[in-house]
């Protein structure tokens, strides 16, 4: 290893220890070892991995670090910013094994596995604000991607010359995207959209059953085809304003002011709704749909069975740890 030739450490001379700890050749090794100690503890404590699996997992984790460095963080940098270092593979793998050996010390201070699983199930059953926010913005992202793809196809087959035509064609593409992703898709997936699938939630009615097809229409279309595209509509009105007689311009201005006011009120309501679980939009109160979490154990018998299996696993793990000690 490079450490043996680049350090001033002399094992039988304590006077060199403090100087050596200030040298990169030594503290980099120490930090590389400490980096994967928690990983080794986690593999043995929660997954009950053997030392062979822990060693393999630590090695593969370290190998992924080195490969990411060689890829220049997936091309973000123009070239690799670090070299592939075999010493890092050795020290990271050693750190994982240190975590495996030290697990019996930490296990007395950590919550039991059954408690962790029970808390995870309870949290998973709640549709938190964060899950709603992630689902919403993910759906918006997918809709925008699909809309731009539709628009790209339209530009290949149709000639678009004016700014107003561009806006109208893009709005048509937006309608197609929303219809496909937020109307047709949930009908076939029983309430799932791409965004909701990412956070394991879906739409259900008040009886926790599959909604009717028209309920998806009333739930999604007012928001995604009227409220959110209001800035696009304002751009259309701005373009129309300069191409009509002055006698009609006051009507366009009045309509624009009304749309702005409605958009700001809806935006305030939407932000409040995203961060408050029981808050619903005015247009959603007609359809009475709600988000339902799919991360749950459906029956008490399944819960009890899970607890029994977890308890048996913990008993075996404690016996192994006691035998190790």
């Amino acid at each position: 290893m490079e450490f043996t030739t680049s350090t001033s450490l002399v094992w039988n001379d304590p006077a060199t220890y403090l100087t050596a700890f200030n040298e990169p050749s030594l503290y980099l090794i120490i930090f590389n070892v400490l980096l994967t100690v928690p990983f080794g503890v986690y593999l043995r404590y929660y997954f009950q991995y053997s030392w062979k699996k822990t060693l393999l997992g630590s090695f593969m984790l370290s190998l992924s670090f080195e490969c990411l460095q060689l890829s220049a963080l997936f091309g973000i940098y123009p070239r690799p910013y670090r070299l592939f270092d075999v010493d890092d593979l050795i020290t990271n793998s050693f750190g994982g094994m240190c975590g495996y050996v030290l697990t019996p010390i930490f296990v007395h201070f950590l919550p039991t596995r059954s408690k962790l699983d029970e808390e995870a199930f309870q949290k998973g059953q709640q549709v938190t604000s964060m899950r709603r926010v992630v689902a919403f913005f993910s759906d918006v992202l997918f809709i925008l991607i699909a809309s731009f793809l539709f628009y790209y196809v339209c530009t290949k087959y149709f000639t678009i010359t004016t700014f107003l035509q561009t806006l109208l064609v893009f709005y048509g593409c937006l309608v197609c995207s929303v219809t496909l992703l937020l109307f047709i898709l949930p009908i076939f997936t029983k309430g799932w959209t791409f965004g909701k699938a990412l956070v394991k939630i879906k739409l259900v009615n008040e009886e926790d059953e599959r909604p009717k097809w028209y309920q998806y229409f009333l739930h999604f279309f007012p928001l995604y085809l009227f409220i959110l595209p209001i800035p696009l509509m304002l751009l259309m009105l701005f373009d129309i304003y300069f191409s009509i007689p002055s006698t009609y311009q006051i009507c366009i201005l009045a309509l624009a002011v009304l749309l702005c006011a409605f958009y700001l009120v809806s935006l305030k309501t939407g932000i409040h709704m995203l961060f408050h679980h029981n808050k619903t939009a005015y247009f959603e109160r007609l359809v009475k749909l709600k988000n339902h979490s799919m991360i749950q154990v459906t029956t008490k018998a399944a819960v009890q069975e899970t607890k029994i299996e977890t308890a048996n696993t913990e008993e075996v793990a404690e016996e192994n740890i006691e035998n190790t000690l």
Side-chain angles (χ1 to χ4, degrees), residues 8-172:
S8 61
L9 178 66
V10 179
W11 298 106
N12 57 359
D13 186 3
T16 63
Y17 290 178
L18 184 60
T19 304
F21 273 107
N22 291 322
E23 296 174 350
S25 58
L26 180 59
Y27 67 67
L28 284 178
I29 291 177
I30 295 175
F31 286 141
N32 276 329
V33 172
L34 294 176
L35 178 66
T36 52
V37 168
F39 185 69
V41 172
Y42 182 67
L43 290 182
R44 183 177 183 183
Y45 165 68
Y46 190 79
F47 292 105
Q48 309 298 327
Y49 275 12
S50 64
W51 69 268
K52 294 180 181 179
K53 289 184 176 180
T54 303
L55 177 61
L56 179 61
S58 302
F59 176 80
M60 295 304 294
L61 178 66
S62 179
L63 183 62
S64 68
F65 293 160
E66 300 303 317
C67 291
L68 285 175
Q69 291 169 177
L70 281 180
S71 70
L73 287 183
F74 302 107
I76 295 178
Y77 294 95
R79 62 187 61 84
Y81 59 93
R82 286 192 62 184
L83 297 177
F84 191 102
D85 195 345
V86 177
D87 291 352
D88 291 345
L89 294 176
I90 297 173
T91 52
N92 291 152
S93 301
F94 179 71
M97 291 307 299
C98 288
Y100 178 88
V101 174
L102 294 173
T103 300
I105 298 175
F106 293 106
V107 76
H108 298 288
F109 305 98
L110 297 173
T112 61
R113 183 179 175 185
S114 59
K115 185 177 181 180
L116 291 174
D117 289 340
E118 187 175 354
E119 290 179 355
F121 280 127
Q122 291 175 353
K123 291 181 179 179
Q125 291 173 358
Q126 301 173 0
V127 182
T128 60
S129 299
M130 181 57 67
R131 293 172 73 181
R132 288 158 59 92
V133 170
V134 171
F136 170 74
F137 284 105
S138 298
D139 280 332
V140 170
L141 179 61
F142 283 116
I143 289 170
L144 288 176
I145 293 174
S147 299
F148 280 111
L149 290 176
F150 282 132
Y151 180 79
Y152 176 77
V153 173
C154 289
T155 57
K156 293 295 183 181
Y157 294 95
F158 302 99
T159 302
I160 303 173
T161 56
T162 65
F163 181 65
L164 183 60
Q165 287 178 352
T166 302
L167 296 176
L168 289 173
V169 171
F170 185 78
Y171 185 77

Side-chain angles (χ1 to χ4, degrees), residues 21 97 111 194 212 224 239:
F21 273 107
M97 291 307 299
F194 285 122
K212 303 295 183 181
Y224 288 91
D239 188 76

